[in-house]
Amino acid sequence: MKTIDLNCDMGEGFGVYSLGDDPAMLEIVTSANIACGFHAGDPLVMTQTLENAKARGVGCGAHPSFMDLWGFGRRPILGQSPAEIEKQLIYQIGALQALAHAQGMRLGHVKTHGSLGNMANEDIDLARAVARAIKAVDPNYIFVVMPGLPTEKAGEEAGLRLAREIYADRAYAANGNLASRKLPGAVLHDAEAAAERILGILESGEVLAIDGTRIPVRADTVCVHGDTADAVAMARAVKRRLDDAGYAVEPMAEWL
């Protein structure tokens, strides 16, 4: 049987503000990427998200970002060295790791958020800083990467376990990175079409970019973002299609 993970970004509220339907998503996905306080999240939100994921048997990982609450981590923050960003990542991963440890949990993976992730997928020095940060906190953590891009190369160089990721709700640029959210069609909203697309990617081993380029990919995990209005419906559709196609959908840390 083929095995795949289904992941979603979680815990992206802050203080009195909430975003997304985490309880509903936790009934569907198998891994949760939990915001660590820089683009979203706070100690209480992080703790509650860990508790909810634990209750549903969902694997947990850190979702660090640029320090950008105002822009939700989706603005490029320039002028920082890879070494500076490395320390910020260690800080964020360590914060979630400590909260998990306090309730007898262990994190399994790390996935960068937003502009930080997009930039690391085009800058090998930044990608290596991410890999070093993960390895410094726990060399057994899985590094979630995009196939064929600098994050994959940096993770391989560092000897980290990798989860190669594809996206259900995002279009791709010709270089294999995610298309800019500013472009028409960059964010997909049709749940059934997205589910069909994911199955096609998994079966064919390639993804079609917005310009028609066919990009070879290998996938271990599928991402559905949790902050869109149709996120839960899309996650349900993707999970149903994976089940129907005979995939075992399980947390990445349990089988990678």
Side-chain angles (χ1 to χ4, degrees):
M1 180 179 286
K2 300 165 288 188
T3 305
I4 195 77
D5 172 68
L6 184 59
N7 79 75
C8 182
D9 305 342
M10 297 269 181
E12 292 184 316
F14 184 81
V16 299
Y17 303 100
S18 61
L19 183 66
D21 189 348
D22 286 1
M25 292 297 283
L26 285 168
E27 298 292 342
I28 305 165
V29 302
T30 49
S31 291
N33 320 308
I34 301 175
C36 300
F38 273 33
H39 78 281
D42 61 36
L44 298 183
V45 170
M46 292 159 72
T47 297
Q48 188 63 60
T49 307
L50 286 164
E51 290 176 354
N52 291 344
K54 181 180 180 180
R56 292 164 178 80
V58 173
C60 293
H63 197 38
S65 174
F66 285 135
M67 189 180 289
D68 183 26
L69 280 173
W70 183 262
F72 195 63
R74 289 183 175 154
R75 300 182 297 181
I77 306 296
L78 305 178
Q80 301 178 94
S81 70
E84 290 175 309
I85 294 171
E86 180 183 345
K87 299 303 182 293
Q88 293 175 28
L89 294 174
I90 291 171
Y91 179 96
Q92 293 178 77
I93 299 166
L96 188 67
Q97 181 189 58
L99 290 171
H101 177 77
Q103 52 184 298
M105 297 177 63
R106 187 183 184 284
L107 303 182
H109 68 276
V110 177
K111 173 185 168 180
T112 52
H113 168 83
S115 284
L116 172 59
N118 291 337
M119 291 170 65
N121 278 320
E122 298 186 357
D123 182 337
I124 188 60
D125 291 330
L126 183 54
R128 286 170 175 151
V130 176
R132 286 195 304 270
I134 296 169
K135 192 169 185 176
V137 177
D138 191 328
N140 293 311
Y141 284 165
I142 295 168
F143 183 11
V144 180
V145 302
M146 290 187 68
L149 297 184
T151 48
E152 182 182 49
K153 180 179 180 181
E156 289 173 340
E157 290 175 349
L160 294 168
R161 288 190 295 159
L162 304 181
R164 293 166 177 87
E165 178 179 45
I166 56 175
Y167 286 78
D169 53 4
R170 293 296 311 280
Y172 283 73
N175 66 354
N177 203 354
L178 298 179
S180 169
R181 286 177 177 268
K182 297 177 182 178
L183 297 175
V187 180
L188 310 180
H189 299 285
D190 187 320
E192 295 301 329
E196 180 66 23
R197 171 175 171 264
I198 282 297
L199 199 59
I201 295 170
L202 293 173
E203 297 301 320
S204 69
E206 61 181 21
V207 64
L208 187 65
I210 54 176
D211 70 346
T213 301
R214 293 189 175 276
I215 306 162
V217 295
R218 170 184 163 192
D220 305 301
T221 184
V222 177
C223 174
V224 177
H225 286 99
D227 62 318
T228 57
D230 43 18
V232 174
M234 185 168 293
R236 286 196 181 112
V238 171
K239 175 65 163 52
R240 183 174 62 253
R241 292 304 300 271
L242 292 172
D243 288 340
D244 291 346
Y247 283 86
V249 186
E250 299 177 357
M252 67 177 83
E254 293 185 3
W255 58 273
L256 272 177

